[in-house]
Structures are given as structure tokens and as C-alpha cells.
Amino acid sequence: MGIRCGIVGLPNVGKSTLFNALTNSEVDASNYPFCTIDPNIGNVTVPDERLSGLADIVPTEKIVPAFVEFVDIAGLVAGASKGEGLGNKFLGNIRETDAIVHVVRCFVNPDIAHISNQIDPVHDIEIINTELLLADIQTVERNYIRAEKKSKAAQQEDIKKKEFLKKLLQHLNQFLPARHFILEDEKTDIWMKELHLLSAKPMLYVVNISEEDIHAGNDFSIQVEEYLSQYQDLHLVTICGALESELSQIDGEEKNEFLKELKLKEPALNKLVQSCYSLLGLQTFFTASSKEIRSWPLKVDSRAPQAAGVIHTDFERGFICAEVIAYKDYVTLGGEQACKTAGKMRLEGKNYILSEGDVIHFRFNI
């Protein structure tokens, strides 16, 4: 399954620098607004040490991790919902993503211009979120007008849809994001998805600070944390984009030594990628063979046939059963045969709900 996260924020907050660090690319990160016009796209692997654990047991030709696709989107400005800056293009690019990575500038650097000529991260956050909401209000208003006309025919479903849109519009006009709107049933869930609202997408905030603040943060990052604490579904990662970009250019022991000098266990980008993964409600299952060891992303609470379908639609269509081993048992006992002998392999049917880290072999017939 594809996982696409859009990197958004005001101009010159560090979006392209972050994208370069994530994807080991060299897109233009110049010090002027809208140096990014067309979105840049790159795939980033999801760090998972368990793949190495499986490879220690199963000799294999290749190891394939899960990945997240990141899209570096042009900087947004106030008035984007009315076409200011690259407004319509920008909002269209966001609409095509599964989640939003909202970069907030919390560093001072006189050599990098801020579009407002001052560092005020809370104000910056409000500009972005306001423009997303205004665009959504326009979308819902258009749909409400159409629904109101249709409801005059007195069809029960048309009347219900009009009421749904009316309540959603009232919700948005209170400047509450669509993702916080309570859906009544499966039908309203379908209608919400059909709207493709920007504020319905899960959002991860990335606080971009300077290197000297990577351990304790600064006054700006504290302001952001305090402001965002009002939201129940808060997801926040603190990084230094410039440092992460530097780290992305080195490998192996040199990188480990650099991290040790900085008193860091791992690059902050690892946490960022994993946070995007969990932000979308995903978990991982594994397949392991002599040809390939692979991690697969799957929505939490998915059943075995759905997991099979992630690999290939034919697997889901012809699903018979799944041979399941918990990852811990697989590596502790030393592989599939040992787990069979110890009674740690289970045959599961169509109603089995996957657990994080299951190692699975699917049986199917088409």
C-alpha cells in the first residue's frame, strides 16, 4: 500500500532541507520564497531492526523494508485559499497526500529570511491551519448548496446528506479541523472521504530548531508545545534540519561517531519516519523466504485476508489460511521449523486480526 506524506509550511522554514535529509537528495533549498514550485517526491525506508533479526536466521537474496513517500510542497502564504502565492496549486498537492508533515521554524538565522520578518512559530502554525480550514469551508459550502437542491426531492438519503454537510460546515466555521468531526455512521464516513478535506488528514508537526538546541529546545519550541497541547491528537517531532541534512551525507562508523559526539542515539529522521507510519494507524507484518525478507505496512485491526491483499490482490481473493508466527518466537527459537516443533506456529483463518510483527506465510488458491 502506498503511504504519501506532504511536507508543508511557510516559505523558508526548512521544508526542502528536511526533504533533502530524508531522501538524500539535492533539491533547491535556496533562501527565497517559493524556491520550490513543482513538488519534489522521494521514497524513504522505514527503519526496522527486526529485518536484520530475520536475515540472521533466514539466508536471503534481498531485504525489502517498508517505505514512506515524501512530497516537498511549495511554501504556503496567508490567502492561499484565495489563490495567493501558489495557493491553488499548493492546496491541490496537499489533497493528493495521506498525511501532512507541518514544518514549523523555531530557529533564528539572520541569513535566512522569514516571510513575516520575525520568528513567531505559533502565528505561523495558525496561518497554515487557517488556510487549510478556509479551503475546506469552500469545498463543503459548494457541496452543501448542491445537496440542498437535491434534498428538495424529499429523498431520505439526500436529506441526511444535507444535514451532515450543514453540521460539518458549522464545525469548520468554529475553526475546528475536519479530523475532529464526529461521524455518526458508515455512511457519513463515506461522505467525509468523498470530500477529500485537507483538515481531515492526520498532521505531524516538525519543530525545526538549531543545533545548539537539539537537547533542551528553546523558547520558540516551548511555545509550540504549549500551544499544541490543546489538541488531543497531537503528534510532534523536534529536529534540526541542517544537522540531519549533514548526517544524511555520512554512513557507517563515521555517522555513529558523529552521533556519539552529539550525544544522540540515532538520527531524529528515524523517529520522524516512524512517527509518520504510526500517524496513519499502520503496523508491520513480515514475510521471510530465501528469495526475500520483507516488511509490509498494514492498517491496525486489519484481518488476515486484507494483509494478504497488501502483497497481491490474488492472495486476498483466493485466501485459504495464514501460517502465523510471532516475531519474538521466530527469532528466539531460530526460525520456522523450530517454531513448528515448539507449537508456536498457528494456522489462522479469515477472521484473524494481525498483531504487530507477525511473520506470515499465506496459503491461497485462485
Side-chain angles (χ1 to χ4, degrees):
M1 61 184 296
I3 307 165
R4 174 177 272 211
C5 296
I7 302 174
V8 308
L10 292 176
N12 291 356
V13 298
K15 300 184 303 300
S16 293
T17 300
L18 174 61
F19 179 83
N20 285 341
L22 280 164
T23 62
N24 205 12
S25 303
E26 294 183 3
V27 304
D28 189 2
S30 301
N31 176 24
Y32 60 88
F34 308 120
C35 70
T36 301
I37 297 177
D38 294 320
N40 301 296
I41 301 172
N43 290 331
V44 182
T45 59
V46 179
D48 198 325
E49 294 179 354
R50 293 174 296 181
L51 286 166
S52 298
L54 292 171
D56 288 340
I57 295 168
V58 183
T60 190
E61 293 177 14
K62 61 179 178 178
I63 298 174
V64 184
F67 68 87
V68 176
E69 184 178 82
F70 283 92
V71 185
D72 177 27
I73 297 172
L76 176 149
V77 295
S81 59
K82 297 178 181 177
E84 293 293 330
L86 298 170
N88 294 330
K89 182 179 179 66
F90 168 92
L91 297 169
N93 293 149
I94 298 177
R95 217 174 291 281
E96 295 170 0
T97 65
D98 301 304
I100 297 172
V101 176
H102 183 165
V103 182
V104 185
R105 179 171 172 173
C106 290
F107 65 87
V108 177
N109 186 334
D111 296 327
I112 301 177
H114 189 286
I115 198 165
S116 303
N117 295 318
Q118 63 176 347
I119 309 300
D120 186 346
V122 170
H123 182 247
D124 293 353
I125 289 170
E126 289 176 339
I127 289 174
I128 300 289
N129 289 345
T130 296
E131 293 304 323
L132 298 182
L133 277 165
L134 288 173
D136 284 349
I137 288 170
Q138 291 174 13
T139 298
V140 177
E141 282 178 340
R142 287 195 300 270
N143 279 269
Y144 177 72
I145 291 168
R146 286 197 294 268
E148 194 171 33
K149 290 176 182 176
K150 287 188 74 174
S151 68
K152 290 175 182 177
Q155 293 292 327
Q156 195 61 40
E157 185 168 307
D158 291 333
I159 293 170
K160 183 179 178 181
K161 186 172 185 179
K162 184 191 80 168
E163 288 305 309
F164 157 74
L165 290 166
K166 182 179 179 180
K167 289 177 184 176
L168 177 57
L169 193 55
Q170 290 170 344
H171 175 89
L172 295 173
N173 277 318
Q174 294 177 62
F175 273 72
L176 297 170
R179 61 182 168 273
H180 292 165
F181 184 74
I182 298 172
L183 298 166
E184 297 174 3
D185 51 31
E186 189 176 339
K187 197 67 183 178
T188 53
D189 182 49
I190 291 170
W191 289 334
M192 176 68 88
K193 287 173 181 173
E194 288 174 347
L195 291 167
H196 301 289
L197 298 181
L198 302 173
S199 68
K201 297 180 185 296
M203 183 178 288
L204 170 70
Y205 290 91
V206 175
V207 173
N208 191 9
I209 58 176
S210 53
E211 185 176 332
E212 58 265 29
D213 296 323
I214 55 175
H215 293 293
N218 57 28
D219 290 344
F220 295 126
S221 65
I222 291 169
Q223 287 172 27
V224 171
E225 289 178 24
E226 289 177 349
Y227 173 75
L228 294 177
S229 64
Q230 63 186 296
Y231 300 110
Q232 295 179 347
D233 60 346
L234 171 63
H235 299 270
L236 187 147
V237 174
T238 301
I239 70 163
C240 170
L243 174 61
E244 294 297 322
S245 186
E246 190 176 346
L247 278 167
S248 70
Q249 301 301 312
I250 56 178
D251 291 305
E253 194 54 40
E254 186 182 354
K255 177 180 278 191
N256 292 334
E257 288 299 319
F258 194 6
L259 287 167
K260 192 180 290 186
E261 272 182 49
L262 296 166
K263 297 180 181 178
L264 297 172
K265 291 182 180 179
E266 61 177 356
L269 292 183
N270 287 5
K271 183 179 179 183
L272 170 59
V273 176
Q274 289 162 340
S275 296
C276 290
Y277 200 71
S278 59
L279 178 69
L280 288 163
L282 298 172
Q283 63 181 1
T284 300
F285 72 92
F286 300 98
T287 53
S289 72
S290 58
K291 288 188 178 293
E292 177 184 278
I293 291 174
R294 185 163 183 159
S295 58
W296 301 88
L298 180 73
K299 285 284 187 183
V300 172
D301 294 330
S302 294
R303 299 184 187 277
Q306 293 170 288
V310 171
I311 299 174
H312 199 288
T313 53
D314 284 347
F315 286 22
E316 181 173 8
R317 185 159 54 91
F319 178 88
I320 297 173
C321 67
E323 298 173 352
V324 182
I325 303 171
Y327 173 82
K328 185 177 180 181
D329 291 334
Y330 199 100
V331 295
T332 301
L333 296 173
E336 183 179 315
Q337 190 55 52
C339 288
K340 277 184 182 178
T341 303
K344 294 296 183 179
M345 175 187 280
R346 310 184 311 275
L347 281 181
E348 299 286 2
K350 292 181 178 180
N351 291 323
Y352 174 64
I353 297 175
L354 267 72
S355 297
E356 170 64 37
D358 280 344
V359 183
I360 304 182
H361 175 73
F362 293 103
R363 293 184 186 177
F364 67 100
N365 181 34
I366 54 173

